Amino acid sequence: MDPPRTGSPYQPAVEALENHPEKKFYNVSKLGGAKYDTLPYSIRVLFESSVRNCDGFLVKETDAMNILDWKTKQNHVEVPFCPARVVLQDFTGIPAMVDFAAMREAVRNAGGDPVKVNPACPADLTVDHSLQIDFSKCAIQNAPNPGGGEQKPPAKLSPMKAQPRKLPPCRGHSGCRGSCSTGESSRSSGPFSAQIENTPILCPFHLQPVPEPETVLKNQEMEFGRNRERLQFFKWSSKVFENISIIPPETGTAHQVNLEYLSRVVFDIKDFLHPDSVVGTDSHTTMVNGLGILGWGVGGIETEAVMLGMPVTLTLPEVVGCELTGTISPFATSIDIVLSITKHLRQADVAGKFVEFFGSGVSQLSVADRTTIANMCPEYGAILSFFPVDNVTLKHLKHAGFGKAKLEVMEAYLKAVKLFRNDASSSGEPEYSQSGVKGFQIAAEKQNDIVPVQYEGNEYQLSHGCVVIAAVISCTNNCNPSVMLAAGLLAKKAVEAGLVVKPYIRTSLSPGSGMVTHYLSSSGVLPYLSKLGFEIVGYGCSTCVGNTAPLPEAIRSAIKQGDIIACGVLSGTKNFEGRLCDCVRANYLASPPLVVAYAIAGTVRIDFDTEPLGTGFNGKSIYLRDIWPTRQELHTVEEECVISSMFKELKEKMEKGNKRWNLLEAPESTLFPWDLKSTYIRCPSFFDKLAKEPVSPQAIENAHVLLYLGDSVTTDHISPAGSIARSSAAAKYLTSKGLTPREFNSYGARRGNDAVMTRGTFANIKLLNKFIGKPAPKTIHFPSGQTLDVFEAAELYQKEGIPVIILAGKKYGLGSSRDWAAKGPFLLGVKAVLAESYEKVHRSQLIGIGIAPLQFRPGENPSTLGLTGREQFSILFPPELLPRMTLDIKTSTGKVFSVIALFENNMEITLYKNGGSLNFVARRFL
């Protein structure tokens, strides 16, 4: 995370980079010798991090040696990893930054210098999860107030509002926003339409539709109004904290910004070089592995720990090698490749492992292909899928704006530490398959039936398998630029060859985001798509969810009269019978270029190898192979036109910001001026007892059981999530602050207010507390005998000065990592959890917040020990805690039994003695 530390045992390994003597680095390849040369590239990154960050406490020499001995130690040891940086989105970033603001205040109150309180490593926070669609003309947007929160009267149009545009006739297509002509204009006449939607960059993965510009501006105005407090806090954070970068709204999504702007590949800090690596709270963090950057997704509390200077701990993983050899079929799209690889990895059982790609075939994959494959990790269960840096990566980075000098240093360094991949010969070519079209199950004597139909003064013939709907949709499985570009380049070649689409076929182009429009426009293919009828109809799911305009009446009548099996072809994810239109019985999914090809052919009953798509200029037969774009063509356009323009636009947005963000006022004081009336941002009480020296662990005396839970209690049961129920403790609090139910918003939006989040802890309606006997967020306050909300009971216990604990069964804390699954119980006054077993990550999070994880001895549980949970419990901690020490617990009934204190190492004991990692780090500034 920093240049080499004084006294590091590996200091002698620091060398100057050849031909760049001013640049220094740890030459880990010499440290490891022959063992290092056999390590997978991803494990080499872990080894370099352990060497560079070795301090004898958080990272020890034995950790580095365990990683070097990966071949024998994989799956058997846990190792620390210090990522070079972290990435957060705003929902997980707000509580982290609130904690840092509170820490500054606590350090000041304890006599320290608050200016020294900063994240220990670079942290980039992207405000991309706040946008709600209050205004939309998209077909999927039917709810009156889908995003929650207060529904306000329509806002006045901003002076920045885009002026209304005169739209060309839409020929009756769905999603029409202009005046329509009664019939369809001929696709073989008229000038090319170069009208491009002026839309912001939004996320194809999250499926957030991008409406027309004036609607976008209205939604953005609502976003700034609704989230003003949070945005002002973020802006204050960007001004006063070092090592934190806030990416404001309207810039882009976390994974897009991470890929195209934040990624360094190699860090150069004060002329000291080391590999880029990252952990992040965005679900698409793994995409960066396609750039040769080791990274994966973690929960908010792990990310915050890294920001505090703590390592992430992981079991040294297996690494499954995936060899790619041979050549790619010219008709295989990037999506075909990605899905084929995903299929094979599922069969290989890579769950919980690293995957690493090697072999001569890797060079045929563009960086876009690689990042898409890396992004598919959840589909095949791997932690990450790593593509080491190679010449393809360097070429991509050149187009992305990296300077020549920077790339030269990067290449020299990666080769020096053997993190640069060179092509190697290998065997075992993977098979890439394409799905064929199934039969229609029509009687043999009727398979060649033909029904003539008059349309727009011309006669056409409809037969079984005729295409009447063709929709190109940039859906979740088509977010890779290359497949949409392939459709555009195929359309360009088709138009230039003289091919046309029959006018009765309902063609449409519905990008998942304005970014798709951007790169179709910048590559110059959009007019050709329009010429074939594939004009942009809007941003949303449209045809994929059945939102398509009716077919022309003449076509409908002919289909029904002849009982024709008419077909729809679309690049979406749904192909249910009758979904597109009641007279379209056969719907097929295809990649975007094949949708265009089937539209030109006019039928799915075609053998592309032997039958022509149609007749071009001079009566020449045109086959699919004649107009299919090569992968080299796609890579050239993608790298030279698309990637460079995308990066340039994003860089301008990052450097200039946007008008609303630039005009947003925020304080500049060292300490944040907390607004006591705020219901979004509140100073938490994690540091209330901060002193210069930690106190020895205090005995837990006469504690009551707050909750008596069973097996498999998940973080969803514990942590606040989703909407705020009107009858909940959080709702009562917000009502007392003068808010109406429409203004409650969600727990996610209020994660910066510990009062809301504490009241939402254990508020899940499916929580099964054995004291209650049925699912409900309730418990019993034993001194009074009242049945109350969990928060209300905990609040009474705290007022009475009575500590509380939690009894639980097996696998306590299952599920995804949630920061408030540990923070919430701590603020409820929980001093210890006593369970039969724990989910590993959650156990460490309890220690990190200052809650003792205690475990029943094997074969014991509350039932075998005769415990009802209604007793009071006393737990005595010895002056010197040891890992996995046995402790005695005495109950108010006189029963004494032993439990295991689940501290795995001295570092965890140190954190617990300090009251958790927040207080441990805060004391460093005193």
Side-chain angles (χ1 to χ4, degrees):
M1 296 184 296
D2 295 310
R5 305 177 183 185
T6 303
S8 168
Y10 298 109
Q11 189 73 20
V14 175
E15 292 185 3
L17 186 65
E18 186 175 357
N19 297 325
H20 302 275
E22 74 283 4
K23 306 292 183 182
K24 302 294 190 296
F25 69 103
Y26 279 106
N27 195 338
V28 288
S29 64
K30 291 185 178 179
L31 274 177
K35 282 186 178 180
Y36 181 86
D37 293 343
T38 63
L39 292 178
Y41 287 91
S42 52
I43 301 300
R44 296 180 193 185
V45 177
L46 294 181
F47 180 63
E48 191 281 338
S49 174
S50 67
V51 167
R52 177 167 39 87
N53 292 287
C54 184
D55 63 356
F57 176 60
L58 296 176
V59 182
K60 300 177 181 178
E61 287 185 73
T62 53
D63 295 321
M65 292 302 102
N66 283 336
I67 297 173
L68 190 60
D69 290 331
W70 168 82
K71 192 171 183 179
T72 59
K73 296 293 180 67
Q74 56 185 293
N75 281 334
H76 298 303
V77 296
E78 289 198 344
V79 295
F81 173 55
C82 298
R85 58 189 175 92
V86 300
V87 172
L88 308 101
Q89 37 88 345
D90 44 326
F91 274 11
T92 50
I94 191 78
M97 297 315 302
V98 166
D99 288 347
F100 271 95
M103 187 186 295
R104 278 199 163 195
E105 190 149 314
V107 167
R108 191 276 310 268
N109 293 340
D113 183 0
V115 176
K116 294 181 180 179
V117 177
N118 295 289
C121 71
D124 301 295
L125 193 157
T126 304
V127 185
D128 71 336
H129 279 53
S130 298
L131 182 64
Q132 299 175 8
I133 309 301
D134 295 281
F135 301 94
S136 177
K137 295 182 182 178
C138 293
I140 63 169
Q141 191 63 36
N142 296 319
N145 188 27
E150 181 183 11
Q151 190 170 17
K152 299 178 180 179
K156 292 182 179 180
L157 292 181
S158 165
M160 294 183 285
K161 169 185 173 297
Q163 294 301 312
R165 294 172 284 106
K166 184 177 181 180
L167 298 178
C170 72
R171 303 190 314 279
H173 280 196
S174 62
C176 166
R177 299 192 178 103
S179 57
C180 301
S181 59
T182 55
E184 294 204 20
S185 59
S186 172
R187 294 186 179 113
S188 59
S189 63
F192 286 179
S193 172
Q195 178 63 53
I196 308 299
E197 294 278 1
N198 178 27
T199 53
I201 300 170
L202 286 184
C203 173
F205 295 98
H206 294 156
L207 294 180
Q208 293 180 342
V210 187
E212 55 189 357
E214 53 267 37
T215 310
V216 171
L217 290 171
K218 286 183 181 180
N219 282 321
Q220 290 170 352
E221 287 176 358
M222 288 292 290
E223 177 185 9
F224 269 79
R226 178 188 292 115
N227 297 292
R228 179 168 294 275
E229 282 186 56
R230 297 167 66 237
L231 294 176
Q232 286 177 325
F233 176 75
F234 282 140
K235 192 162 187 179
W236 170 81
S237 299
S238 69
K239 290 180 177 182
V240 302
F241 286 111
E242 297 176 5
N243 268 346
I244 183 71
S245 174
I246 305 294
I247 316 302
E250 305 176 29
T251 304
T253 54
H255 53 271
Q256 175 213 333
V257 174
N258 189 19
L259 272 176
E260 298 167 16
Y261 190 84
L262 303 177
S263 294
R264 282 83 156 175
V265 185
V266 171
F267 263 80
D268 185 344
I269 301 178
K270 298 179 181 178
D271 287 331
F272 195 87
L273 306 174
H274 63 83
D276 189 1
S277 57
V278 62
V279 293
T281 57
D282 183 77
S283 57
H284 305 292
T285 301
T286 53
M287 291 182 77
V288 297
N289 291 280
L291 274 175
I293 299 170
L294 194 72
W296 63 90
V298 296
I301 201 162
E302 290 98 333
T303 308
E304 187 172 343
V306 173
M307 293 172 69
L308 292 168
M310 313 292 290
V312 173
T313 302
L314 73 157
T315 300
L316 191 61
E318 292 183 48
V319 181
V320 177
C322 184
E323 184 178 19
L324 303 180
T325 61
T327 58
I328 298 168
S329 165
F331 294 107
T333 67
S334 293
I335 296 304
D336 297 325
I337 297 165
V338 169
L339 295 181
S340 180
I341 289 174
T342 298
K343 170 190 170 185
H344 287 292
L345 288 175
R346 277 180 174 175
Q347 296 170 345
D349 186 24
V350 297
K353 304 171 185 176
F354 284 10
V355 173
E356 193 167 295
F357 291 87
F358 69 101
S360 57
V362 174
S363 296
Q364 298 183 54
L365 297 177
S366 69
V367 168
D369 295 335
R370 300 175 186 189
T371 55
T372 306
I373 293 168
N375 186 58
M376 295 289 281
C377 281
E379 298 297 325
Y380 44 85
I383 297 173
L384 56 87
S385 287
F386 191 71
F387 289 85
V389 175
D390 60 6
N391 289 320
V392 174
T393 316
L394 294 181
K395 183 179 178 182
H396 169 87
L397 294 174
K398 178 182 177 182
H399 291 302
F402 280 57
K404 181 180 178 181
K406 186 173 183 178
L407 288 174
E408 287 177 353
V409 170
M410 180 186 300
E411 183 176 0
Y413 167 72
L414 292 173
K415 287 181 176 179
V417 293
K418 299 182 180 180
L419 286 174
F420 191 88
R421 188 191 72 84
N422 292 307
D423 288 339
S425 60
S426 54
S427 60
E429 179 178 343
E431 296 182 3
Y432 295 99
S433 60
Q434 287 182 285
S435 299
V437 178
K438 297 181 180 179
F440 301 119
Q441 300 178 355
I442 304 169
E445 65 273 13
K446 293 186 177 182
Q447 287 183 7
N448 295 317
D449 286 357
I450 293 176
V451 177
V453 60
Q454 290 286 329
Y455 183 73
E456 291 189 345
N458 295 309
E459 183 175 300
Y460 300 93
Q461 293 183 333
L462 300 182
S463 59
H464 295 301
C466 63
V467 174
V468 293
I469 294 176
V472 173
I473 303 168
S474 177
C475 202
T476 48
N477 62 333
N478 287 316
C479 55
N480 188 317
S482 64
V483 288
M484 296 296 285
L485 285 173
L489 290 174
L490 186 143
K492 180 177 184 291
K493 291 185 176 185
V495 170
E496 292 172 343
L499 295 177
V500 297
V501 174
K502 295 179 176 65
Y504 61 78
I505 299 177
R506 285 290 186 210
T507 50
S508 60
L509 172 59
S510 179
S513 77
M515 174 55 73
V516 179
T517 302
H518 176 84
Y519 60 66
L520 289 177
S521 172
S522 62
S523 59
V525 300
L526 197 58
Y528 296 97
L529 286 164
S530 298
K531 187 69 174 177
L532 294 179
F534 291 93
E535 295 182 353
I536 295 177
V537 297
Y539 298 84
C541 292
S542 59
T543 309
C544 195
V545 294
N547 293 320
T548 188
L551 295 177
E553 187 56 40
I555 303 300
R556 289 171 56 89
S557 298
I559 292 172
K560 291 185 177 181
Q561 176 187 340
D563 194 24
I564 295 296
I565 304 294
C567 302
V569 185
L570 67 155
S571 63
T573 58
K574 307 290 190 302
N575 64 333
F576 305 137
E577 179 179 346
R579 187 181 186 117
L580 303 186
C581 180
D582 59 357
C583 62
V584 179
R585 285 185 273 173
N587 300 317
Y588 297 99
L589 303 182
S591 63
L594 284 179
V595 171
V596 178
Y598 279 116
I600 294 170
T603 179
V604 298
R605 297 177 69 184
I606 181 174
D607 183 338
F608 286 132
D609 287 335
T610 61
E611 299 177 62
L613 292 172
T615 303
F617 296 125
N618 303 320
K620 181 183 178 181
S621 293
I622 307 297
Y623 292 82
L624 181 61
R625 58 179 172 270
D626 299 326
I627 64 172
W628 190 268
T630 66
R631 288 187 63 79
Q632 185 57 46
E633 287 178 295
L634 288 172
H635 286 183
T636 299
V637 173
E638 186 178 316
E639 292 290 345
E640 295 183 2
C641 299
V642 179
I643 300 300
S644 58
S645 61
M646 286 166 60
F647 185 89
K648 181 179 179 182
E649 180 178 355
L650 181 59
K651 185 177 181 180
E652 289 175 354
K653 283 191 174 186
M654 293 287 292
E655 292 175 351
K656 295 179 181 179
N658 61 68
K659 188 171 183 180
R660 290 186 184 84
W661 177 261
N662 293 339
L663 293 177
L664 186 69
E665 295 182 358
E668 298 185 11
S669 53
T670 300
L671 301 178
F672 184 70
W674 306 99
D675 181 359
L676 299 180
K677 297 180 181 179
S678 173
T679 57
Y680 279 98
I681 306 294
R682 187 173 182 268
C683 185
S685 56
F686 299 126
F687 305 98
D688 284 358
K689 297 180 180 179
L690 179 66
K692 190 169 185 178
E693 297 295 333
V695 296
S696 299
Q698 301 295 301
I700 302 172
E701 297 180 346
N702 299 317
H704 271 293
V705 175
L706 180 64
L707 292 163
Y708 183 8
L709 307 172
D711 296 339
S712 302
V713 173
T714 71
T715 52
D716 284 342
H717 291 119
I718 306 169
S719 179
S723 60
I724 298 173
R726 296 191 178 194
S727 60
S728 66
K732 295 173 186 176
Y733 167 80
L734 293 173
T735 300
S736 72
K737 298 293 183 180
L739 274 65
T740 64
R742 278 187 173 180
E743 297 171 303
F744 287 172
N745 215 319
S746 64
Y747 283 113
R750 296 190 181 275
R751 291 177 77 164
N753 186 327
D754 65 304
V756 173
M757 299 301 285
T758 305
R759 286 166 171 80
T761 303
F762 293 114
N764 191 307
I765 59 173
K766 294 184 179 180
L767 181 74
L768 181 57
N769 180 6
K770 293 185 179 182
F771 293 149
I772 304 300
K774 62 180 181 180
K778 301 284 185 179
T779 194
I780 296 174
H781 176 252
F782 288 107
S784 66
Q786 300 179 76
T787 298
L788 302 169
D789 286 335
V790 175
F791 171 78
E792 293 172 341
E795 187 178 39
L796 275 181
Y797 281 128
Q798 290 193 58
K799 288 180 179 178
E800 296 161 347
I802 300 174
V804 294
I805 64 171
I806 291 172
L807 286 184
K810 301 181 181 70
K811 299 178 180 179
Y812 180 78
L814 277 175
S816 59
S817 173
R818 301 276 182 87
D819 52 345
W820 279 98
K823 289 179 176 179
F826 175 82
L827 293 179
L828 287 175
V830 175
K831 302 299 182 184
V833 176
L834 178 53
E836 291 182 65
S837 64
Y838 292 84
E839 197 280 330
K840 182 176 67 173
V841 172
H842 187 65
R843 178 202 64 83
S844 65
Q845 291 174 349
L846 291 175
I847 296 170
I849 201 65
I851 296 176
L854 309 178
Q855 182 173 290
F856 290 104
R857 292 189 300 185
E860 294 184 349
N861 58 46
S863 297
T864 62
L865 293 172
L867 302 175
T868 66
R870 297 173 180 268
E871 307 91 345
Q872 288 182 272
F873 295 75
S874 295
I875 307 166
L876 181 64
F877 291 93
E880 290 299 324
L881 273 173
L882 297 174
R884 300 189 70 86
M885 174 179 278
T886 298
L887 304 178
D888 288 334
I889 296 182
K890 183 177 181 180
T891 70
S892 54
T893 60
K895 182 181 293 293
V896 178
F897 61 97
S898 297
V899 297
I900 303 167
L902 279 190
F903 302 104
E904 299 292 349
N905 50 54
N906 290 328
M907 186 184 79
E908 290 187 345
I909 292 173
T910 299
L911 293 179
Y912 179 71
K913 286 181 175 180
N914 276 270
S917 56
L918 287 171
N919 283 272
F920 171 75
V921 172
R923 286 191 174 91
R924 291 183 171 185
F925 302 111
L926 299 181

